[in-house]
Amino acid sequence: MSGSRKVMVTGGAGFIGANFVRYWSEKYPTDRIVVLDALTYAGNPANLESVAAGENYRFVHDNILDASAIDELMQQEQIDTIVHFAAESHVDRSIHEPDAFIQTNVIGTNNLLMAARKHWIDSDNAPTTHLFHHVSTDEVYGTLGPDDPAFTEQTLYAPNSPYAASKAASDHLVRSYHHTFGMQVTTSNCSNNYGPYQFPEKLIPLMIVNAVTGKPLPIYGDGSNIRDWLYVEDHCRGIDRVMNKGHRGATYNLGGNNEWRNIDIVNQLCKSIDAAFAANAHLAEQFPDAPAAKGKNTESLVTFVKDRLGHDWRYAIDATLAETELGYEPQENFESGFQLTLDWMLNNEAWWRAVMDGSYRDWISKNYSAAG
Ligand code: NAD
Ligand code: DAU
């Protein structure tokens, strides 16, 4: 695709969505970006502060469960491209309350597809080109043993958590709109992301926040579970490649070639925090409750806790197709990406404090009316 696009980004106030909006508005400044986000607990307009002033940008506080609101917005903005991030995304929450995952991830995705079909396929005023890019996850493939080959695009779906099952359902819906209605779609299935603006319920930001505030670092089970980590900007670059060069109707796996056991990640994170405090005396004043501020090792906070129910043991992505067909290649390795993330968290205490103490929610309710 080329020329100026009218891009709707769902879930653009969340972690990856906000990084994507920043990335896209810098790289394609003539594209119009319309963020559609319900501002659930995971959505935060502060994540988009740096793009909010742009004239090609609009934020719409609405819910993908509201089919008529999507329809109206697509008509009003003449949207020709949808990048669909909006989802309930946390596995632990899906174990406790699966219903919201089915609503947003399955019904919400179908609402978007129905609106896109109406405006792009059934309408007399359909744009000459269109694209629905669906952002999905490696969790749809299930879990791997120690010697299993990494997930390819041919790996059979075997989702194990309600979250993964809801994402798998949405992937199938997207595929079906291509096959049945000829909608131009692409899907990317990505491994674990980390980086700026990640909600501190996910492993890496949670551990950083707990480490500098002197709270336990809870490791599920024995910490031997493995994830394949990708710096969030590399995910955004990968989505860009898929959208601009990928075959319509195809699925591409995106990953970091960076498999780590959880316990090794946390130990490494503890060492990096100790080193940061040793190099910068100011950090001990900023975070007086951190063990590193009191001459202790951060590792002293590591605590093994009850395992997650149905905890997938290992994820690993084989991104050969995206590499060979699209030229996809991550720019950060885990060391560089992690350092960027740690520096960002240490320099943005106000952001995560507001998220952790809930004060950002008060600000949202004062500034945004309830979404449908
Ligand atoms: P996130 O939880 O940080 O953000 C989700 C965003 O969606 C929030 O802004 C939230 O307000 C919005 N949202 C939720 N329900 C909505 C609804 N009904 N209507 C409109 N907006 C709604 O999620 P994330 O980690 O940024 O993940 C984004 C997408 O990427 C998800 O689809 C997820 O499945 C996928 N993904 C995530 C990862 C990862 O490691 N985080 C990896 C692969 C794929
Ligand atoms: O693989 C892609 C997926 O990665 C995305 O689709 C999901 O949206 C995203 O949340 C992530 O899922 P995980 O369940 O892998 O991420 P999480 O950060 O919750 O956990 C990473 C690993 O760390 C996992 O094995 C569970 C473990 N863990 C997690 C937390 C929050 C702990 O040991 N302790 C914790 O406190």
Side-chain angles (χ1 to χ4, degrees):
M1 296 185 82
S2 57
S4 291
R5 291 157 285 203
K6 299 180 191 83
V7 185
M8 179 197 285
V9 180
T10 71
F15 161 49
I16 309 174
N19 278 284
F20 178 83
V21 169
R22 245 189 335 278
Y23 166 90
W24 198 268
S25 55
E26 271 166 34
K27 183 149 182 210
Y28 304 106
T30 59
D31 280 3
R32 175 149 178 84
I33 298 183
V34 179
V35 169
L36 171 64
D37 199 297
L39 298 180
T40 68
Y41 80 94
N44 185 350
N47 300 356
L48 289 163
E49 245 164 32
S50 62
V51 286
E55 58 181 27
N56 266 340
Y57 169 82
R58 177 180 171 198
F59 181 83
V60 177
H61 183 209
D62 231 315
N63 198 312
I64 59 169
L65 292 173
D66 184 344
S68 59
I70 301 169
D71 182 33
E72 208 178 297
L73 190 58
M74 287 202 62
Q75 173 66 27
Q76 201 180 67
E77 291 282 351
Q78 294 292 296
I79 296 294
D80 55 31
T81 306
I82 295 176
V83 194
H84 178 32
F85 292 92
E88 288 293 335
S89 70
H90 190 40
V91 174
D92 292 328
R93 287 179 189 254
S94 84
I95 293 166
H96 297 297
E97 283 180 70
D99 184 54
F101 288 71
I102 305 308
Q103 289 298 321
T104 286
N105 300 2
V106 185
I107 311 289
T109 301
N110 191 50
N111 285 343
L112 286 166
L113 288 164
M114 286 197 301
R117 179 188 164 198
K118 176 175 166 190
H119 290 275
W120 296 346
I121 293 167
D122 296 344
S123 159
D124 292 337
N125 290 326
T128 46
T129 59
H130 67 254
L131 178 65
F132 188 107
H133 180 75
H134 179 52
V135 180
S136 193
T137 169
D138 59 0
E139 302 206 10
V140 297
Y141 298 123
T143 184
L144 295 169
D147 302 320
D148 289 334
F151 302 128
T152 71
E153 291 78 2
Q154 272 69 51
T155 304
L156 293 180
Y157 274 36
N160 285 324
S161 68
Y163 162 68
S166 68
K167 291 297 290 188
S170 65
D171 293 9
H172 294 322
L173 280 169
V174 172
R175 181 181 186 280
S176 77
Y177 272 70
H178 177 70
H179 185 83
T180 306
F181 306 113
M183 188 179 291
Q184 304 300 291
V185 307
T186 45
T187 296
S188 47
N189 292 84
C190 189
S191 61
N192 285 63
N193 283 216
Y194 65 100
Y197 300 105
Q198 187 166 29
F199 197 90
E201 64 183 348
K202 308 281 167 63
L203 182 75
I204 289 182
L206 176 75
M207 295 294 160
I208 294 174
V209 166
N210 284 10
V212 299
T213 53
K215 301 206 176 89
L217 307 181
I219 314 268
Y220 298 165
D222 64 2
S224 66
N225 304 67
I226 293 169
R227 297 291 183 265
D228 179 357
W229 294 93
L230 182 69
Y231 188 63
V232 64
E233 253 182 56
D234 281 325
H235 186 186
C236 297
R237 288 184 197 102
I239 293 172
D240 182 359
R241 294 270 170 163
V242 173
M243 288 175 63
N244 283 305
K245 291 180 142 190
H247 286 294
R248 279 24 190 171
T251 282
Y252 295 88
N253 282 355
L254 301 173
N257 240 338
N258 248 314
E259 287 185 56
W260 284 73
R261 294 192 312 161
N262 293 338
I263 185 67
D264 295 334
I265 289 249
V266 173
N267 285 339
Q268 183 56 43
L269 181 149
C270 291
K271 288 195 180 73
S272 300
I273 289 176
D274 291 344
F277 275 68
N280 178 0
H282 172 68
L283 287 176
E285 288 162 31
Q286 191 180 350
F287 302 110
D289 296 325
K294 302 174 194 159
K296 289 195 196 140
N297 291 333
T298 306
E299 255 179 58
S300 59
L301 294 175
V302 168
T303 310
F304 291 91
V305 300
K306 194 165 167 282
D307 208 353
R308 174 184 278 176
L309 287 180
H311 196 173
D312 282 340
W313 189 69
R314 173 179 167 233
Y315 303 143
I317 278 281
D318 179 341
T320 306
L321 183 67
E323 285 160 13
T324 53
E325 212 175 86
L326 313 177
Y328 161 76
E329 190 186 5
Q331 285 182 17
E332 304 297 340
N333 58 34
F334 190 71
E335 286 69 23
S336 64
F338 179 73
Q339 197 56 50
L340 287 170
T341 308
L342 178 59
D343 291 345
W344 189 87
M345 292 291 284
L346 295 175
N347 290 325
N348 287 276
E349 182 185 357
W351 178 87
W352 54 257
R353 288 259 183 222
V355 169
M356 298 303 277
D357 69 17
S359 54
Y360 83 117
R361 301 295 329 162
D362 300 338
W363 185 85
I364 288 172
S365 33
K366 276 193 207 107
N367 289 278
Y368 293 87
S369 57

